[in-house]
Amino acid sequence: FDHGNLQAFLSQHFDVELTPASGADDAQRLLDTGTFDLVLVNRVFDRDGGDGIELIRQIKSNADSAKVAVMLLSNYSQYQEEAIAAGALPGFGKAELSAESSISAVRSALA
């Protein structure tokens, strides 16, 4: 569900390719083997219930992936603040996918 909504949102506004990860280990493996301009992280992973904030910390503590832009997908401001403290850019919630502020945030992250 989230992947489809994100794909629709991103495809409508940007010329990008979305690569889903099944959890933190898969995300780090993808980052270690590929090139990405932006990582969008759910606060809670759909498949295994993993912690998105912890993944952000992991990405930002790894010398190879630390420079990749990361944003948290969450409607809750306290989790956005926690993600920013962990090194993420200001993100947005799934309820805000069509908001101009979300489009601008992604545009800035990709610039």
Side-chain angles (χ1 to χ4, degrees):
F1 176 78
D2 289 340
H3 178 77
N5 286 339
L6 282 172
Q7 183 69 52
F9 163 68
L10 293 169
S11 295
Q12 182 178 2
H13 300 286
F14 306 97
D15 182 22
V16 296
E17 180 181 332
L18 190 66
T19 304
S22 61
D25 291 341
D26 190 34
Q28 191 63 60
R29 180 189 59 75
L30 288 165
L31 285 166
D32 290 344
T33 60
T35 302
F36 296 89
D37 297 314
L38 175 62
V39 176
L40 298 172
V41 179
N42 276 345
R43 183 178 62 85
V44 178
F45 303 149
D46 293 336
R47 292 189 182 183
D48 65 6
D51 183 350
I53 304 281
E54 191 55 42
L55 174 58
I56 293 170
R57 288 187 188 108
Q58 178 182 328
I59 291 169
K60 292 302 181 178
S61 69
N62 181 304
D64 293 327
S65 60
K67 30 187 195 292
V68 175
V70 179
M71 299 173 105
L72 182 70
L73 296 174
S74 176
N75 294 316
Y76 299 101
S77 60
Q78 72 265 27
Y79 296 115
Q80 289 292 346
E81 292 170 13
E82 198 174 334
I84 291 167
L89 297 170
F92 52 90
K94 296 172 201 168
E96 304 164 324
L97 280 181
S98 61
E100 184 57 42
S101 59
S102 300
I103 297 165
S104 294
V106 172
R107 185 177 295 119
S108 292
L110 292 173

